[in-house]
Amino acid sequence: MLKPLGDRVIIEAQEAKEETVGGIVLANNAKEKPQTGKVVAVGNGRVLDNGQTVTPEVKKGDEVVYDKYSGTSVDYDGQKYLVLKESDILAVVE
Amino acid sequence: MLKPLGDRVIIEAQEAKEETVGGIVLANNAKEKPQTGKVVAVGNGRVLDNGQTVTPEVKKGDEVVYDKYSGTSVDYDGQKYLVLKESDILAVVE
Amino acid sequence: MLKPLGDRVIIEAQEAKEETVGGIVLANNAKEKPQTGKVVAVGNGRVLDNGQTVTPEVKKGDEVVYDKYSGTSVDYDGQKYLVLKESDILAVVE
Amino acid sequence: MLKPLGDRVIIEAQEAKEETVGGIVLANNAKEKPQTGKVVAVGNGRVLDNGQTVTPEVKKGDEVVYDKYSGTSVDYDGQKYLVLKESDILAVVE
Amino acid sequence: MLKPLGDRVIIEAQEAKEETVGGIVLANNAKEKPQTGKVVAVGNGRVLDNGQTVTPEVKKGDEVVYDKYSGTSVDYDGQKYLVLKESDILAVVE
Amino acid sequence: MLKPLGDRVIIEAQEAKEETVGGIVLANNAKEKPQTGKVVAVGNGRVLDNGQTVTPEVKKGDEVVYDKYSGTSVDYDGQKYLVLKESDILAVVE
Amino acid sequence: MLKPLGDRVIIEAQEAKEETVGGIVLANNAKEKPQTGKVVAVGNGRVLDNGQTVTPEVKKGDEVVYDKYSGTSVDYDGQKYLVLKESDILAVVE
């Protein structure tokens, strides 16, 4: 499996559905395209200037909303993942 | 529901009304277009370099003025929201 | 009323007068156009990296000189205001 | 009178003299045009990240050399002033 | 051998394989092209503003995923290496 | 005399000599053109975020090598000087 | 001799050899061209925000790999040197 470094998070991207009622529908005309995905791995976190490490707010299994154009796409064992910084995650679906 | 991360806030946008007397009228010729909305969710806040977390000044239910071009638009359960950083909020209507 | 967030200040803009003797005359050929206004509301201040909040130097009622092109214009109850950062205020008229 | 905010300083600009022997002659072909002026008001100073305020090095009455293109021009009581940051002042004439 | 300075890491690049089932397949249409390699040397780490040195998360022998366009290519003893910053490494293969 | 502010230094520029054996010859084809000069005045130094002032490494009388395109040219009492930041000085000739 | 300031280092550049087996061969098609040289002088180091000075990792006599396009070229006593920041040095040859 892939273990992200620092404040990075690995997301299993979900197909963007155009029209939904009870779920999330992503704005098509937005400048930044948000998209949902499931967190599959989380780094140790960002190191502050005082030496402390900030534990990421998201955890494995979280469904998150992120900006479609953030991060780097990686394929592993036939599955497509996205490696992005936790700061590129907009919100968690609760 | 959506829970924003870090210093992000989720706003339920209000339709901009062109002409009002007792309410807020937004300048149409302004370079940055301010707009009002209601805060529906607030993140835990920004982490300072000393490890402290700064609690956001706004809270759920606040009516806020923000810059129209800030943030990322997200639809959820048929309602349109805006995810933006607390620093993009200009003022709270009291 | 509007309550600005963080290190923001709300100004009631004054009409720029072209020629005055005992008052302030703003340079017409300046690259940045300074303008005067009255402070009507002040935020809590900027949060430093050590967690301290810096109380703004200006207070409600102060007449201030600021750069015309700073900030965001907002109308409220038929009155035009300007929301700007305290660091965009050049000087206080004493 | 005008009281500058933060690390700002107000200068009473002097006419640039083209040729002098015992005084300061400003280079005409310089990319950045230095100019001399007299300090008429000084702000409280810059606030550091540890909350300390750095008292400005210049004081009222100092003759200073600054970059002509820095700052913002303001007229007050028929006199032209320049509001600039202390960091835009190159040197004090002693 | 080469010893990288600071927060730099030296990678022995691997040939990108186009199609794999049990391994890593790199996205061909991605804006940033991730690639895998083996860590052959690690610097002492980044020095924080408090004087502390942050030990790198990766160690010699780790297989890592990094952005193809990061770092500087160096040949040494007939072998091609890549010197990059640890922050340009996306993830470790575990 | 001129007293530079902060981390600034005043240099008495020397004519660049094209060809020398025992002295310094400056590269003519270099992108940044280094040049030598004598330090005639030194500021109090740069103020760190913890409030400490860093005493400049150079002192009056030092012969220094600096980048020709740094700083601001000032004439004073018929002599041409250069006001630059200490960080633009490359080396001291010992 | 030249004494570099701060976190600067002086390098005696070596001619880039196109093809070598037991030594270092520099990639010709790399965007940034690394090159080797010998350290002839080292500054006192970088001053951190807490007032501490970080002693450079390289020392006089070290053979280092650096980016060809970094730094400023200086001739001294008929020898060509390169003044660069320690952070522009990629690795030390051990």
Side-chain angles (χ1 to χ4, degrees):
Chain A
M1 190 44 213
L2 298 178
K3 161 80 178 173
L5 286 196
D7 57 344
R8 285 193 177 86
V9 170
I10 301 185
I11 304 288
E12 197 179 295
Q14 294 176 339
E15 285 300 307
K17 312 181 201 68
E18 284 302 304
E19 295 292 325
T20 316
V21 173
I24 289 177
V25 184
L26 302 168
N28 291 322
N29 57 349
K31 218 169 43 192
E32 303 176 45
K33 303 207 173 180
Q35 199 162 350
T36 57
K38 204 173 72 181
V39 175
V40 295
V42 173
N44 295 333
R46 178 166 64 98
V47 179
L48 297 177
D49 273 349
N50 69 355
Q52 236 177 288
T53 300
V54 185
T55 311
E57 283 191 60
V58 299
K59 56 182 193 305
K60 197 177 155 174
D62 280 355
E63 186 183 352
V64 295
V65 182
Y66 59 89
D67 187 325
K68 193 183 178 178
Y69 298 121
S70 326
T72 307
S73 172
V74 178
D75 282 7
Y76 183 77
D77 272 351
Q79 170 73 37
K80 187 176 185 169
Y81 296 104
L82 190 76
V83 184
L84 42 72
K85 302 215 163 191
E86 199 202 5
S87 56
D88 289 327
I89 297 179
L90 302 171
V92 175
V93 181
E94 292 186 327
Chain B
M1 190 44 215
L2 299 177
K3 161 79 177 173
L5 287 196
D7 57 344
R8 286 192 176 87
V9 170
I10 300 185
I11 304 288
E12 196 180 296
Q14 294 176 338
E15 286 300 307
K17 312 182 201 67
E18 284 303 302
E19 295 292 324
T20 316
V21 173
I24 289 178
V25 185
L26 302 166
N28 291 323
N29 57 349
K31 219 169 41 193
E32 303 177 44
K33 303 207 172 180
Q35 199 162 350
T36 57
K38 204 173 72 181
V39 174
V40 294
V42 173
N44 295 333
R46 178 166 64 98
V47 178
L48 297 177
D49 274 347
N50 69 355
Q52 234 178 290
T53 300
V54 185
T55 311
E57 283 191 59
V58 298
K59 55 181 193 306
K60 196 177 157 176
D62 280 355
E63 186 184 351
V64 295
V65 183
Y66 59 89
D67 187 325
K68 194 182 176 177
Y69 298 122
S70 327
T72 307
S73 172
V74 178
D75 281 7
Y76 182 78
D77 272 349
Q79 169 74 37
K80 187 176 185 169
Y81 296 104
L82 190 76
V83 184
L84 43 71
K85 302 216 163 191
E86 200 203 5
S87 57
D88 289 327
I89 297 180
L90 302 171
V92 176
V93 182
E94 292 185 328
Chain C
M1 189 46 214
L2 299 177
K3 161 79 178 172
L5 287 197
D7 57 344
R8 285 193 177 86
V9 170
I10 300 185
I11 304 289
E12 197 180 294
Q14 294 176 338
E15 287 299 308
K17 312 181 201 69
E18 284 303 303
E19 295 292 324
T20 316
V21 173
I24 290 177
V25 186
L26 303 166
N28 291 322
N29 57 349
K31 219 169 41 194
E32 305 176 43
K33 303 207 172 180
Q35 199 162 349
T36 57
K38 204 172 72 180
V39 175
V40 294
V42 173
N44 295 333
R46 177 167 64 99
V47 178
L48 298 177
D49 273 347
N50 69 355
Q52 234 177 290
T53 300
V54 184
T55 311
E57 282 191 61
V58 298
K59 57 181 193 306
K60 197 177 157 176
D62 280 355
E63 187 184 350
V64 295
V65 183
Y66 59 90
D67 187 324
K68 193 182 177 178
Y69 298 121
S70 328
T72 307
S73 172
V74 178
D75 281 7
Y76 183 78
D77 272 350
Q79 169 73 37
K80 187 175 184 169
Y81 297 104
L82 190 75
V83 184
L84 43 72
K85 302 215 163 191
E86 200 203 4
S87 56
D88 290 326
I89 297 181
L90 302 171
V92 176
V93 182
E94 291 184 328
Chain D
M1 191 45 215
L2 299 177
K3 161 79 178 173
L5 287 196
D7 57 344
R8 286 192 177 86
V9 170
I10 301 185
I11 304 288
E12 196 180 296
Q14 293 177 339
E15 286 299 308
K17 312 181 203 69
E18 284 301 304
E19 295 292 324
T20 317
V21 173
I24 289 176
V25 185
L26 302 166
N28 290 322
N29 57 349
K31 216 169 44 194
E32 304 177 42
K33 304 206 172 180
Q35 198 162 349
T36 58
K38 204 172 73 180
V39 175
V40 295
V42 172
N44 294 333
R46 178 166 64 98
V47 178
L48 297 177
D49 273 348
N50 68 355
Q52 235 177 289
T53 301
V54 185
T55 311
E57 282 191 61
V58 298
K59 57 181 191 308
K60 197 177 156 175
D62 280 355
E63 187 185 351
V64 296
V65 182
Y66 59 91
D67 187 325
K68 193 183 177 178
Y69 297 121
S70 328
T72 307
S73 172
V74 178
D75 281 8
Y76 183 77
D77 273 351
Q79 169 73 38
K80 187 176 184 170
Y81 297 104
L82 190 76
V83 183
L84 42 72
K85 302 216 164 192
E86 199 203 4
S87 56
D88 289 326
I89 298 180
L90 303 171
V92 176
V93 182
E94 291 186 328
Chain E
M1 190 44 212
L2 298 178
K3 161 80 178 174
L5 287 196
D7 57 343
R8 286 193 177 85
V9 170
I10 300 185
I11 304 288
E12 198 179 294
Q14 293 176 339
E15 286 300 308
K17 311 182 203 67
E18 285 301 304
E19 295 292 327
T20 316
V21 173
I24 289 176
V25 184
L26 302 167
N28 290 324
N29 57 348
K31 216 168 45 192
E32 304 177 44
K33 304 206 172 180
Q35 198 162 350
T36 57
K38 203 171 73 182
V39 175
V40 295
V42 173
N44 295 333
R46 178 166 63 99
V47 179
L48 297 177
D49 273 348
N50 69 354
Q52 235 178 290
T53 300
V54 185
T55 310
E57 282 191 60
V58 298
K59 56 181 193 305
K60 197 179 156 174
D62 280 355
E63 186 183 352
V64 295
V65 182
Y66 58 89
D67 187 324
K68 194 183 178 178
Y69 298 121
S70 326
T72 307
S73 171
V74 177
D75 281 7
Y76 183 78
D77 272 351
Q79 169 74 38
K80 186 175 185 170
Y81 296 104
L82 189 76
V83 184
L84 41 72
K85 301 216 165 192
E86 198 203 5
S87 56
D88 289 326
I89 296 180
L90 302 172
V92 176
V93 181
E94 291 186 328
Chain F
M1 192 43 214
L2 298 177
K3 161 79 178 174
L5 287 196
D7 57 344
R8 286 193 177 85
V9 170
I10 301 185
I11 304 288
E12 198 180 295
Q14 293 176 339
E15 287 300 307
K17 312 181 203 67
E18 284 301 304
E19 296 291 326
T20 317
V21 172
I24 289 176
V25 185
L26 302 166
N28 290 323
N29 58 348
K31 216 169 44 192
E32 304 177 43
K33 303 206 172 180
Q35 197 162 350
T36 58
K38 204 172 71 181
V39 175
V40 294
V42 172
N44 295 333
R46 177 165 65 98
V47 179
L48 298 177
D49 272 348
N50 68 354
Q52 234 178 289
T53 300
V54 185
T55 311
E57 282 191 60
V58 299
K59 57 181 190 307
K60 198 178 155 173
D62 280 355
E63 186 184 351
V64 294
V65 183
Y66 59 90
D67 187 324
K68 194 184 177 177
Y69 298 121
S70 326
T72 307
S73 172
V74 178
D75 281 7
Y76 183 77
D77 273 352
Q79 169 73 39
K80 186 176 184 170
Y81 296 104
L82 190 76
V83 184
L84 42 73
K85 301 215 164 193
E86 200 204 2
S87 56
D88 289 326
I89 297 180
L90 302 172
V92 176
V93 182
E94 292 186 327
Chain G
M1 191 43 213
L2 298 178
K3 161 78 179 175
L5 287 197
D7 56 344
R8 286 194 177 85
V9 171
I10 300 185
I11 304 287
E12 198 180 295
Q14 293 176 341
E15 286 300 308
K17 310 182 205 67
E18 285 301 304
E19 296 291 327
T20 316
V21 173
I24 290 176
V25 185
L26 303 167
N28 291 323
N29 57 349
K31 216 168 45 191
E32 304 177 44
K33 302 206 173 180
Q35 197 162 352
T36 58
K38 203 172 72 182
V39 175
V40 295
V42 173
N44 295 333
R46 178 165 65 97
V47 178
L48 298 177
D49 273 347
N50 69 354
Q52 235 177 290
T53 299
V54 185
T55 311
E57 283 191 58
V58 298
K59 57 181 191 308
K60 197 179 155 172
D62 280 355
E63 186 183 351
V64 295
V65 182
Y66 59 90
D67 187 323
K68 195 184 178 176
Y69 297 121
S70 325
T72 308
S73 172
V74 178
D75 281 8
Y76 183 78
D77 272 351
Q79 170 74 38
K80 186 174 183 170
Y81 296 104
L82 189 76
V83 184
L84 42 72
K85 300 215 164 192
E86 198 204 4
S87 56
D88 290 326
I89 297 180
L90 302 172
V92 176
V93 182
E94 291 186 328

